[in-house]
């Protein structure tokens, strides 16, 4: 296939054409030793601890680095594979044990575990890596804190192959939190050799040059274009990957990705638009897998820094004005779980996520707005991530139209995907935005920890409520079997219902299209490519 033919096959789309010279996929897609994967977003760093590293970059931590533990897998009702949150398995750790009071976890590191350079993985590497996650701050530090890891003194080197974590209190999240992408183990010897006085944690070096023990090494990274993994044949963290090389292509235009997967010029188009999933499911030459995303919601966030949204009645007016059903049909194509139209204003159970007690009622919305000083309306920009435009754009247009009917003038703000995390989540500057957050650890209190606590990354609303903070502090580490747990979670949900800093739209599925020749695709909670189980038949 030459470049002209490839451009023609993709519809000669302007957005995709700039990338197509790099898509020499035809020969690769016929190889059983190489898998070609297309993604729609941009990887901006190879270091998950680096401030500003975006969500698409998390896949590097998964494929290139190891953690002490991982999760098992299970079959879903449709026969597809998914991670199993309730089954923690070894990765770098050979075994572990909990103390009688559940306040210490002792890990034995696999004796044959080595980094890519052949040096052994030691407890010193584990401690240095965890110390680094806390020291660099931001998202990694808060994520570590979710498991109760807040102080470097908690990380103890017993001997070269024995590592202990001392907890300040027992926590149901401690062990599973060691299986998330942030808890990577870095080759501290290599990192220290490339550190400087101004950069003691080697952030600049590890940004472009990983130093891990994982299933794949990074062979090449062309920022904004491609990332190439090559298998680590000495990997001890699990079964050896079924392919020698994985080529990750960044193809922003969804139509281009669709054309390439339909032609067989790639093996996997990861996280495709729901419209494409609906239509490609009818194509016998392409396999589509849609997996429910645990603990994830697509939401509209109302920023408390924007004066009108400080008024609860204004926020509730917006919640009653959202055209939920239209959004679900036109942005989600009916794939996922509706999160509107709850039958009661009070949560009946502690289940999460669950439907909020709002539906589309413009009369009720206008009546609430009329009770505020903003009864004559106001103007607000609604922002969405261009990397998520497949659902963000239709949702934003429908919200713009509906809110206009109650006097709120909405303008649309399209933010490039590479900038989204910084502007929306780190700086938290956007007054009104569409966002999606999925909790890695599958509990309600964990979701609220990230999305409803002031300063935490996914609280793009700048919501700050002392009752919610107290409830999260009380439940985050509490076992679900505790008699007080359910009542406290229901109280937490009630606050979310009443205050609506985040308006849930729907719980999504992650849809991917692939060649029937590809096997081993698994859905993971982090919603990124995990190529370790992929193979071609």
């Amino acid at each position: 296939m030459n470049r002209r033919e490839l451009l023609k096959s993709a519809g000669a789309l302007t957005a995709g054409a700039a990338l197509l010279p790099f898509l020499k996929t035809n020969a690769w897609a016929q190889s059983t030793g190489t898998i070609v994967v297309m993604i729609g977003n941009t990887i901006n760093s190879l270091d998950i601890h680096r401030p500003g590293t975006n969500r698409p970059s998390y896949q590097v931590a998964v494929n290139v680095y190891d953690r002490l533990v991982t999760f098992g897998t299970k079959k879903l009702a449709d026969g597809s594979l998914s991670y199993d949150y309730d089954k923690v398995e070894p990765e770098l750790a050979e075994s572990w044990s909990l103390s009688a009071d559940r306040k210490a976890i002792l890990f034995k590191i696999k004796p044959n575990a080595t980094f890519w350079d052949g040096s052994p993985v030691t407890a010193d590497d584990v401690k240095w890596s965890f110390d680094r996650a806390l020291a660099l701050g931001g998202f990694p530090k808060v994520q570590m804190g979710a498991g109760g890891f807040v102080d470097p003194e908690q990380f103890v080197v017993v001997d070269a192959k024995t590592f202990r974590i001392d907890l300040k209190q027992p926590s149901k999240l401690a062990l599973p939190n060691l299986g998330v992408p942030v808890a990577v183990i870095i080759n501290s010897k290599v990192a220290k050799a490339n550190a400087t006085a101004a950069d003691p944690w080697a952030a600049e070096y590890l940004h472009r040059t990983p130093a891990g023990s994982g299933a794949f090494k990074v062979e090449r990274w062309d920022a904004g274009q491609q990332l190439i993994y090559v298998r680590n044949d000495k990997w001890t963290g699990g079964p050896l990957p079924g392919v020698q090389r994985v080529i990750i292509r960044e193809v922003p235009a969804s139509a281009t990705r669709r054309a390439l997967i339909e032609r067989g010029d790639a093996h996997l188009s990861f996280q495709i638009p729901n419209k494409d999933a609906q239509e490609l499911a009818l194509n016998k030459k392409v396999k589509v897998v849609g997996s429910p995303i645990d603990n994830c919601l697509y939401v509209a966030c109302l920023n408390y820094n924007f004066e009108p949204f400080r008024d609860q009645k204004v926020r509730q007016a917006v919640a009653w004005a959202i055209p939920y059903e239209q959004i679900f049909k036109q942005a989600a194509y009916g794939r996922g779980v509706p999160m509107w139209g709850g039958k009661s204003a009070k949560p009946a159970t502690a289940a999460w996520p669950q439907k909020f007690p709002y539906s589309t009622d413009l009369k009720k919305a206008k009546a609430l707005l009329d009770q505020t000083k903003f009864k004559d309306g106001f103007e607000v920009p609604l922002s969405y991530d261009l990397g998520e435009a497949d659902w963000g754009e239709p949702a934003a247009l429908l919200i713009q139209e509906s809110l206009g009917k109650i006097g709120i003038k909405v303008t649309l703000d399209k933010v490039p995907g590479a900038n989204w995390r910084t502007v929306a989540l780190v700086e938290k500057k956007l007054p009104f935005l569409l966002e999606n957050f999925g909790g890695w650890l599958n509990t309600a209190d964990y979701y609220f920890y990230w999305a409803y606590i002031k300063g935490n990354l996914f609280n793009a609303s700048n919501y700050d409520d002392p009752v919610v903070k107290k409830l999260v502090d009380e439940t985050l580490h509490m076992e679900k079997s505790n008699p007080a747990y359910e009542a406290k979670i229901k109280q937490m949900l009630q606050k979310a219902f009443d205050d609506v800093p985040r308006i849930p739209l729907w719980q999504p599925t992650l849809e991917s299209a692939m060649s029937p020749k590809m096997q081993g695709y698994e859905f993971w909670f982090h919603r990124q490519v995990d190529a370790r189980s992929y193979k071609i038949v």
Side-chain angles (χ1 to χ4, degrees):
M1 176 183 292
N2 60 37
R3 182 176 182 274
R4 181 174 298 176
E5 290 169 338
L6 187 54
L7 285 169
K8 185 177 179 181
S9 74
L13 292 168
T14 302
L19 292 172
L20 290 176
F22 302 99
L23 288 165
K24 303 175 183 177
T25 56
N26 192 40
W28 285 331
Q30 293 176 16
S31 169
T32 57
T34 298
I35 276 197
V36 180
V37 178
M38 296 182 293
I39 61 174
N41 289 308
T42 296
I43 294 167
N44 72 357
S45 179
L46 306 186
D47 178 10
I48 195 169
H49 293 165
R50 182 183 174 89
T53 296
N54 64 2
R55 186 180 294 160
S57 304
Y58 295 171
Q59 67 156 281
V60 180
V62 172
N63 292 295
V64 167
Y65 288 99
D66 286 322
R67 286 137 292 278
L68 288 172
V69 300
T70 185
F71 295 96
T73 58
K74 61 184 178 182
K75 275 193 175 182
L76 301 179
D78 64 357
S80 62
L81 296 175
S82 171
Y83 82 105
D84 187 344
Y85 180 77
D86 296 318
K87 190 177 181 181
V88 179
E89 297 184 343
E91 195 158 273
L92 275 178
E94 181 179 51
S95 63
W96 57 89
S97 58
L98 273 70
S99 61
D101 62 2
R102 299 179 62 82
K103 291 179 67 175
I105 313 175
L106 188 71
F107 295 90
K108 290 290 186 181
I109 300 170
K110 291 178 178 178
N112 61 338
T114 61
F115 290 107
W116 301 327
D117 64 359
S119 63
V121 178
T122 69
D124 287 307
D125 296 304
V126 179
K127 177 171 173 55
W128 187 89
S129 301
F130 288 1
D131 286 354
R132 182 180 193 262
L134 295 183
L136 290 182
F139 162 64
K141 180 179 180 180
V142 182
Q143 177 63 50
M144 294 292 280
F149 317 136
V150 297
D151 184 343
E153 295 300 318
Q154 294 177 259
F155 309 136
V156 180
V157 175
V158 179
D159 59 43
K161 289 291 184 176
T162 310
F163 177 75
R164 190 179 76 240
I165 298 178
D166 294 328
L167 299 171
K168 297 181 183 298
Q169 60 180 317
S171 174
K172 65 180 182 294
L173 300 182
L175 188 60
N177 199 40
L178 295 172
V180 305
V182 160
V184 293
I185 310 304
I186 300 167
N187 187 332
S188 64
K189 299 172 281 295
V190 170
K192 289 175 183 178
N194 289 278
T196 65
D199 182 19
W201 297 104
E204 286 306 309
Y205 176 79
L206 293 172
H207 165 56
R208 294 201 62 91
T209 316
S213 61
F216 292 99
K217 307 173 188 179
V218 171
E219 183 177 74
R220 177 173 178 174
W221 179 37
D222 301 310
Q225 297 173 11
Q226 68 176 356
L227 177 66
I228 301 178
Y229 299 124
V230 62
R231 188 173 66 197
N232 170 22
D233 289 331
K234 295 182 179 180
W235 188 47
T236 61
L240 204 62
V243 291
Q244 179 68 30
R245 182 173 279 100
V246 181
I247 301 170
I248 308 293
R249 297 293 193 189
E250 296 180 14
V251 186
S254 60
T256 306
R257 296 197 303 276
R258 176 168 173 170
L260 292 169
I261 198 71
E262 286 185 299
R263 287 182 62 97
D265 290 323
H267 296 101
L268 171 65
S269 184
F270 186 79
Q271 199 165 14
I272 63 175
N274 285 358
K275 178 178 184 293
D276 287 350
Q278 184 184 64
E279 295 172 356
L280 286 172
L282 304 175
N283 184 340
K284 294 182 179 180
K285 294 182 179 180
V286 177
K287 180 171 64 175
V288 176
V289 175
S291 307
I293 304 176
D294 293 335
N295 213 1
C296 181
L297 293 173
Y298 280 16
V299 300
C301 293
L302 294 78
N303 195 330
Y304 278 49
N305 287 355
F306 181 63
E307 185 183 0
F309 291 156
R310 294 173 192 161
D311 191 317
Q312 183 187 53
K313 286 187 169 63
V314 173
R315 298 193 303 273
Q316 291 179 348
V318 173
W320 285 109
I322 296 284
Y324 299 98
E325 290 190 22
Q326 287 179 278
I327 290 173
F328 192 60
K329 289 177 182 177
Q330 296 183 36
Y333 286 82
R335 300 173 84 92
V337 181
M339 282 292 127
W340 71 91
K343 294 181 179 179
S344 172
K346 296 183 179 298
T349 71
W352 179 259
Q354 63 176 273
K355 292 182 177 181
F356 273 45
Y358 297 92
S359 55
T360 309
D361 189 330
L362 294 179
K363 288 184 179 179
K364 188 175 287 189
K366 188 66 172 75
L368 280 165
L369 197 63
D370 285 346
Q371 297 174 42
T372 75
K373 66 179 182 179
F374 304 101
K375 62 182 179 180
D376 295 326
F378 55 89
E379 185 171 339
V380 60
L382 173 57
S383 305
Y384 63 91
D385 180 352
L386 274 176
E388 304 281 344
D390 60 289
W391 73 270
E393 185 166 5
L397 287 167
L398 289 166
I399 291 171
Q400 179 186 49
E401 179 184 14
S402 193
L403 265 60
K405 294 175 182 176
I406 63 169
I408 300 176
K409 183 179 179 182
V410 174
T411 57
L412 301 187
D413 173 36
K414 306 175 184 181
V415 180
N419 301 336
W420 177 259
R421 191 180 185 91
T422 298
V423 175
L425 302 178
V426 177
E427 298 176 350
K428 304 184 191 300
K429 289 181 175 179
L430 305 178
F432 190 23
L433 63 150
L434 298 177
E435 172 57 5
N436 71 91
F437 163 60
W440 285 349
L441 306 178
N442 198 12
T443 65
D445 42 276
Y446 177 81
Y447 187 98
F448 274 70
Y449 169 80
W450 276 110
Y452 286 86
I453 300 301
K454 179 73 172 179
N456 284 2
L457 185 66
F458 296 100
N459 182 2
S461 302
N462 282 300
Y463 179 66
D464 188 15
D465 184 90
V467 174
V468 171
K469 186 178 187 309
K470 182 173 184 291
L471 289 166
V472 171
D473 287 343
E474 291 172 347
T475 59
L476 189 63
H477 304 292
M478 186 184 290
E479 295 293 338
K480 292 182 180 181
S481 58
N482 188 310
Y485 184 78
E486 182 171 352
K488 290 180 182 293
I489 294 297
K490 288 169 70 173
Q491 188 180 352
M492 194 186 297
L493 297 181
Q494 187 67 62
K495 289 290 292 181
F497 284 5
D498 294 340
D499 292 348
V500 284
R502 303 167 69 85
I503 304 172
L505 303 175
W506 77 92
Q507 180 183 9
T509 54
L510 191 149
E511 309 281 350
S512 291
M514 62 203 75
S515 164
K517 294 182 179 180
M518 179 179 155
Q519 293 186 356
Y521 173 85
E522 296 178 1
F523 166 76
W524 281 83
F525 58 89
H526 44 67
R527 294 183 282 160
Q528 301 303 324
V529 172
D530 184 342
R532 295 175 297 176
S533 59
Y534 297 171
K535 60 182 179 180
I536 300 296
V537 297

